[in-house]
Amino acid sequence: MLENTGFTGYMIDLKNEKEIAQMRVAGKLASEVLEMIGEYVNVGITTHELDTICHNYITREQNAIPAPLNYHGFPKSICTSVNHQVCHGIPSKNKTLKSGDIINIDVTVIKNGFHGDTSKMFLVGKPSILAERLCKITRECMMMAIESVKPGLHVGTIGAIIQRHAENNNFSVVREYCGHGIGRNFHESPQILHYGVEGTGIKLEEGMTFTIEPMINAGKPATKILNDGWTVVTQDRSLSAQWEHTLLVTKNGSEVLTKRTEENEY
Ligand code: MF3
Ligand code: CO
Ligand code: CO
């Protein structure tokens, strides 16, 4: 998640065919980390252990680089955000997963200089009805936004679609962080806000690559950062969920560069 600075869409790097091929490789690798880690996300594991498994897989099996590690000083290779943690959770030996937890694992890999960025929610043991519904609606927000993407679409429409579905379900959209252009840089233009007004903002063009990564809260939208300087939590300690994909804008729509094999319905 990029910090929402209010600036949108100047100097957007459109990817050529060669760069797109590289983005496909990076996106696929990021998706494969999420596929790999699923079987380990169980009651009793620590988020530190999840980080170690992902780090070793990315560096040894994929010969790739975990982008979060040392990014602006981030100390670990993945982000793990549990329950009321919104994003940028730091994997820790003190965070042991328990039944009922929901956890977002956010993976970004660099391969041959290009980034792939994706995250998903995992339900640990037996989650509450609310937790399950929050995760499901948040994924729907992302998917509805993805399905709208095509050249000529205003970025504000992406935000409006997400905001409408979240608020129709009595949830709220986090404002302080947003999706982002991605490529040779982890975070580049444009900013993709997850709330907004239809028909406003810049228009999408073929060859743009960016993420959609809505953070949706069960309570109020406000967040704060913990003393560790990274972990973003809901101010009211309500549950928060997030899903993320990296997309390419194509001639007629979009291609999901981080699609997992389990996601064959689109
Ligand atoms: N992966 C996050 C995103 O979706 C960014 C994490 S930055 C880090 O943009 F430093 F916290 F790793
Ligand atoms: Co991102
Ligand atoms: Co991410």
Side-chain angles (χ1 to χ4, degrees):
M1 288 55 57
L2 181 65
E3 195 182 348
N4 175 3
T5 61
F7 286 110
T8 52
Y10 52 98
M11 292 287 284
I12 299 174
D13 179 44
L14 301 181
K15 275 68 180 178
N16 63 33
E17 268 311 322
K18 245 173 104 172
E19 295 167 324
I20 289 167
Q22 304 273 47
M23 289 296 290
R24 286 195 180 103
V25 171
K28 182 79 185 147
L29 291 176
S31 76
E32 286 171 354
V33 178
L34 287 182
E35 292 178 331
M36 177 279 300
I37 200 64
E39 67 177 286
Y40 299 98
V41 186
N42 298 311
V43 173
I45 197 162
T46 66
T47 52
H48 166 80
E49 290 170 307
L50 294 173
D51 177 72
T52 302
I53 296 165
C54 289
H55 176 90
N56 291 342
Y57 187 79
I58 293 165
T59 56
R60 297 174 191 173
E61 309 283 326
Q62 298 186 328
N63 289 319
I65 300 167
L69 187 61
N70 301 320
Y71 181 77
H72 294 280
F74 191 79
K76 296 281 190 171
S77 295
I78 58 171
C79 296
T80 52
S81 304
V82 180
N83 295 338
H84 69 294
Q85 297 179 346
V86 174
C87 62
H88 303 169
I90 303 175
S92 164
K93 289 180 178 167
N94 300 324
K95 195 87 176 175
T96 302
L97 297 183
K98 57 184 195 309
S99 183
D101 283 347
I102 57 171
I103 177 173
N104 174 276
I105 298 184
D106 192 338
V107 170
T108 312
V109 303
I110 310 171
K111 183 73 172 184
N112 299 324
F114 287 83
H115 291 71
D117 187 8
T118 186
S119 79
K120 66 171 280 189
M121 298 302 298
F122 295 89
L123 307 169
V124 182
K126 181 110 188 75
S128 68
I129 302 280
L130 174 66
E132 211 164 324
R133 195 170 69 87
L134 177 66
C135 293
K136 174 173 170 282
I137 297 294
T138 303
R139 181 163 190 274
E140 288 172 4
C141 285
M142 177 189 69
M143 291 308 306
M144 290 165 77
I146 289 173
E147 277 153 23
S148 76
V149 168
K150 59 177 185 195
L153 187 84
H154 293 264
V155 279
T157 303
I158 294 175
I161 288 167
I162 292 166
Q163 183 177 8
R164 185 186 320 123
H165 192 56
E167 292 178 357
N168 280 347
N169 285 281
N170 274 319
F171 296 144
S172 66
V173 178
V174 170
R175 305 293 203 269
E176 294 92 339
Y177 306 91
C178 56
H180 50 91
I182 182 168
R184 287 194 176 81
N185 304 298
F186 196 160
H187 297 113
E188 52 188 56
S189 280
Q191 295 206 357
I192 307 292
L193 276 55
H194 303 116
Y195 62 96
V197 178
E198 212 172 314
T200 63
I202 60 143
K203 286 186 194 173
L204 300 181
E205 291 174 47
E206 190 178 349
M208 287 183 182
T209 49
F210 59 83
T211 70
I212 298 181
E213 48 180 304
M215 288 141 277
I216 306 296
N217 298 346
K220 294 203 162 68
T223 66
K224 62 176 183 182
I225 300 177
L226 296 185
N227 287 334
D228 63 20
W230 282 102
T231 311
V232 178
V233 299
T234 55
Q235 267 185 31
D236 62 7
R237 293 187 68 84
S238 65
L239 289 175
S240 187
Q242 179 179 35
W243 296 75
E244 174 175 26
H245 270 313
T246 297
L247 311 181
L248 163 72
V249 181
T250 60
K251 192 166 173 43
N252 301 306
S254 76
E255 182 179 325
V256 179
L257 301 177
T258 46
K259 196 197 289 201
R260 298 181 298 281
T261 32
E262 80 203 37
E263 298 177 293
N264 40 25
E265 80 272 32
Y266 65 91

